[in-house]
Structures are given as C-alpha cells and as structure tokens.
Amino acid sequence: MTIVRWEPLRELSSLQHEMNRLFSAFDTPTGNGGAARRWVPAMDLVETEDHFVLRADLPGMSQDDVKIELEDHVLTISGERKAEHSERQEGFYRVERAFGTFSRALTLPKGVDAAAVTASFDQGVLEVRVPKPEAAKPRRIEISVADEPKTIEG
C-alpha cells in the first residue's frame, strides 16, 4: 500500500479550479464558441534601494488610453484596450487577443510622497516609479538632572 501525504493547498487549488469552471459557464459566449475573458494586463512590482518600480505590459495601447491615480495610499492603474476588428465584417474565424477595460490597484506604504511618483510609457510598457518613504530615524534626547546633562539614545 502506498502512503500519500495530504496537502491541503492542493485540495484548495482543486476547489478553486472547479469553482472557476462552474462560473465560466455563465460567461457570455464569444463568436468562436468560447467564453469571454476579462483582460488583466501582466504587471511586475520590483523593489530597489530607493523606489518601488511597477511595470505593466500594455500592448497596442498609448499613454492616452491609461489613467494613473494615487489616493489614500492606493495606486490605481486603469484603462481600456479597444478591439481592432469590427463584428463579422472581415471574416474572422477566431479572435484570441483580449480587449476591454481593466483596473489594478496596489496599496503603498504610508509616507509616500505623491508628488514624487513618476510614470513613463515606452513600446507598450508602462513604468511607474514610487519613491520609498523616509524611514523613521532614532533621535537623541538629552535629559538634564540637577545640573548634569545625560544622553539617552532612542
């Protein structure tokens, strides 16, 4: 008899897969018999010594199609990629490239200077640079007791 180790995360993954399959049955069908998918662009978040750097792949979009907002420590990137084809006019048999609106939100640490956040767009890649907040530095406080100054490090 073979002993198999029980892994609860594998069971959870299986449950998630089944739930996704169940809910995909309610999606609106596309012209090719498949279910419509929501477009979510791929994003990377990298931490450097001085910045948090977010890079998002937005192929086929321009900077005018993207909106970036920072409110209450939440950085939100949203936009819309429009379809490049008209319905059934060019004899399409299969359309796999996703399009539509998207919105991604990231919570930033407290103390981020919103005015120092920069963004650039080059060849379909959006890069947002968020400077890290200044770390709280310990401060020395001098205490004088009966004409003798003492230093306490905090």
Side-chain angles (χ1 to χ4, degrees):
M1 180 167 116
T2 305
I3 297 175
V4 178
R5 184 176 180 179
W6 180 64
E7 295 181 29
L9 292 178
R10 182 176 51 195
E11 298 295 326
L12 190 61
S13 175
S14 175
L15 177 63
Q16 181 181 10
H17 174 72
E18 290 300 317
M19 293 297 289
N20 289 342
R21 191 175 65 78
L22 174 68
F23 284 115
S24 69
F26 296 108
D27 285 341
T28 58
T30 60
N32 63 0
R37 285 182 255 160
R38 191 178 134 225
W39 180 54
V40 180
M43 292 188 180
D44 295 334
L45 181 62
V46 179
E47 182 178 2
T48 66
E49 193 171 317
D50 299 326
H51 291 85
F52 296 105
V53 181
L54 174 91
R55 291 185 187 99
D57 289 340
L58 303 172
M61 296 180 70
S62 70
Q63 66 188 32
D64 297 331
D65 299 327
V66 181
K67 184 169 72 171
I68 303 171
E69 296 176 330
L70 179 60
E71 183 178 348
D72 294 332
H73 308 295
V74 177
L75 177 72
T76 304
I77 299 172
S78 58
E80 180 177 6
R81 184 163 73 177
K82 296 180 176 38
E84 296 178 0
H85 63 278
S86 301
E87 289 296 318
R88 303 233 185 235
Q89 290 182 0
E90 296 184 31
F92 285 103
Y93 290 103
R94 184 175 188 102
V95 177
E96 292 185 356
R97 294 186 302 154
F99 57 90
T101 60
F102 70 92
S103 181
R104 300 283 306 264
L106 299 167
T107 303
L108 300 175
K110 292 184 179 182
V112 168
D113 181 13
V117 175
T118 60
S120 62
F121 198 88
D122 184 33
Q123 296 183 358
V125 178
L126 173 70
E127 181 176 287
V128 180
R129 298 182 73 80
V130 180
K132 288 183 177 179
E134 292 280 331
K137 297 179 182 176
R139 186 181 82 150
R140 285 188 165 189
I141 301 172
E142 291 196 28
I143 301 173
S144 60
V145 177
D147 297 330
E148 283 185 40
K150 292 187 177 181
T151 303
I152 296 177
E153 294 185 19

